[in-house]
Amino acid sequence: MILPEQDKTVSWGRKGSQMILTLACLVIVLAGMKAAAGVLVPMVYAFFLAVLSFPLLRWLTRHRIPGPVALAMTLLVNLGVLAGLITLAVRLLISFNADLPRYLRGIQRYLTDFGVWLDDNGIEGAKEMMGSLFDWNTIIGYATQQDVMSRIGAMLGSTFGTLATVFAGLVMILILMMFVLMEATGTHRRIVAVHLAGGPDFSGLMRSVTDIQKYLGIKTLISALTGLLAGAWCWFFDLQYPLLWAILAFIFNYIPAVGSSAASIPAIVEALVQHGGGAALGIALGYGGINFALDNFVQPQLLGNRFGISALVVVLSVIFWGWLWGPMGMFLAVPLTMVMKVLLDNSEEFRWVSVAMSQKKVRRGEVEVVGYDLDENEVVGGGASTENPQHD
């Protein structure tokens, strides 16, 4: 489908005023979302966990298990997985915290040796510069005195506040997820009734729930494979905490673009301190190979082109949701961006933003937008990176 030329005259003064008003409203909405993160984040996580858990609930009910029993079993599975991961991760972190000063001293030693090597090779003052990069005595003392649980609560403080509210947030997530699953069966009929009663049409958003469900399921599978392979690789190099690095790789793989790389840093540091530079290089190459293979071969085969979001938009979404809702926002950056894209796609005024967010590909010398249904002979004309997103 080749885009026609736009002949109608545009009132840029009126368009500019509307854009300024829209941006002002957007700033107010974002400020409200940032201020209400403690309430909104558990709600969003409850919704996406319910979307991810609904296939299990549906499978149980199709096998003639009563609805309340199937719901209870689904919640117990979620609670068991979350409680098991959190308990195991916290115990490993407490154990690792006791060894943290040793790893910090090892890093200090390597940096000092590197500074000496630079001094010997003609870079004067390199040793002093390396020593002044960090106040290692203060850092080691801080690592020795700080409690792991308090530090975890501080890391999540930008979203939840304190450690007590972290556990309160988890309870809220499970309760909200239960009610979302209870209401899930009749959601489609309710949306149709709302539209017939004069309300907005959310059918496009509901159709995207299946896509989000598929994305979350495949992302969970890829993250589990990443954690399993990373843990096995760390065990092969005789690291002390392979299970901890496996859990870290599993969790951080949900953060697109930067999560997997960030998860490899602690394992590389441990390998460097324990076994030297060769082991650290081996760990780095192993992590790189695992992430490259899964992200570039396995995941695209499972996801296909249905989730056609530009790579630049993915990176920007991680930055944006991380700024808005802290670390917890980064984990759901892509699903939240997918929901925004669907909402924009169903808006006459801002559909162009949805098209701009889409992934582009070139076929027969023409640039096409991935994610929209194109026939074999349909192209986006003139090398443009846009298309008419109207669906049949």
Side-chain angles (χ1 to χ4, degrees), residues 90-120:
V90 167
R91 287 183 177 179
L92 289 170
L93 281 172
I94 291 174
S95 177
F96 175 74
N97 186 68
D99 292 328
L100 185 58
R102 178 166 62 89
Y103 291 117
L104 292 175
R105 291 189 183 96
I107 297 172
Q108 180 185 15
R109 184 178 68 253
Y110 272 99
L111 287 177
T112 302
D113 293 342
F114 182 61
V116 172
W117 180 84
L118 291 176
D119 263 339
D120 294 340

Side-chain angles (χ1 to χ4, degrees), residues 11 23 54 139 167 176 200 323 333 336 340 374 383:
S11 177
L23 290 175
F54 183 71
I139 294 175
F167 289 104
L176 289 173
W323 165 79
L336 288 168
M340 287 181 56
L374 292 175

Side-chain angles (χ1 to χ4, degrees), residues 19-43:
M19 184 62 69
I20 293 174
L21 181 60
T22 301
L23 290 175
C25 295
L26 181 62
V27 170
I28 295 173
V29 170
L30 291 178
M33 292 175 65
K34 191 173 180 66
V39 176
L40 293 179
V41 171
M43 292 174 62

Side-chain angles (χ1 to χ4, degrees), residues 100-302:
L100 185 58
R102 178 166 62 89
Y103 291 117
L104 292 175
R105 291 189 183 96
I107 297 172
Q108 180 185 15
R109 184 178 68 253
Y110 272 99
L111 287 177
T112 302
D113 293 342
F114 182 61
V116 172
W117 180 84
L118 291 176
D119 263 339
D120 294 340
N121 285 271
I123 302 178
E124 297 181 359
K127 181 179 177 181
E128 289 74 13
M129 182 186 67
M130 288 295 174
S132 63
L133 286 177
F134 304 99
D135 187 355
W136 289 102
N137 292 327
T138 303
I139 294 175
I140 293 171
Y142 178 81
T144 305
Q145 298 170 5
Q146 292 298 308
D147 180 68
V148 174
M149 298 301 292
S150 300
R151 198 175 307 168
I152 294 174
M155 282 178 11
L156 299 176
S158 59
T159 301
F160 289 111
T162 63
L163 186 61
T165 54
V166 171
F167 289 104
L170 290 174
V171 173
M172 185 187 299
I173 287 172
L174 292 174
I175 293 174
L176 289 173
M177 185 180 68
M178 178 183 69
F179 283 102
V180 171
L181 289 173
M182 288 173 60
E183 298 286 335
T185 305
T187 301
H188 180 71
R189 291 190 296 270
R190 187 178 298 109
I191 286 176
V192 172
V194 168
H195 182 56
L196 293 176
D201 184 10
F202 291 111
S203 57
L205 183 61
M206 288 306 300
R207 285 193 298 270
S208 72
V209 169
T210 303
D211 292 342
I212 295 172
Q213 191 178 79
K214 181 180 178 181
Y215 171 83
L216 291 174
I218 292 175
K219 193 65 177 178
T220 300
L221 175 62
I222 297 297
S223 298
L225 285 174
T226 302
L228 181 64
L229 294 174
W233 191 250
C234 292
W235 174 82
F236 176 76
F237 276 86
D238 195 28
L239 297 190
Q240 187 175 353
Y241 297 98
L243 188 56
L244 178 59
W245 309 141
I247 295 174
L248 196 68
F250 167 73
I251 295 174
F252 273 64
N253 194 66
Y254 283 95
I255 302 178
V258 297
S260 298
S261 300
S264 68
I265 295 175
I268 294 173
V269 170
E270 185 189 350
L272 178 65
V273 173
Q274 278 197 337
H275 305 297
L281 180 61
I283 290 291
L285 292 176
Y287 267 83
I290 291 169
N291 295 326
F292 180 81
L294 293 179
D295 291 344
N296 293 279
F297 296 103
V298 179
Q299 185 168 289
Q301 290 295 324
L302 296 176

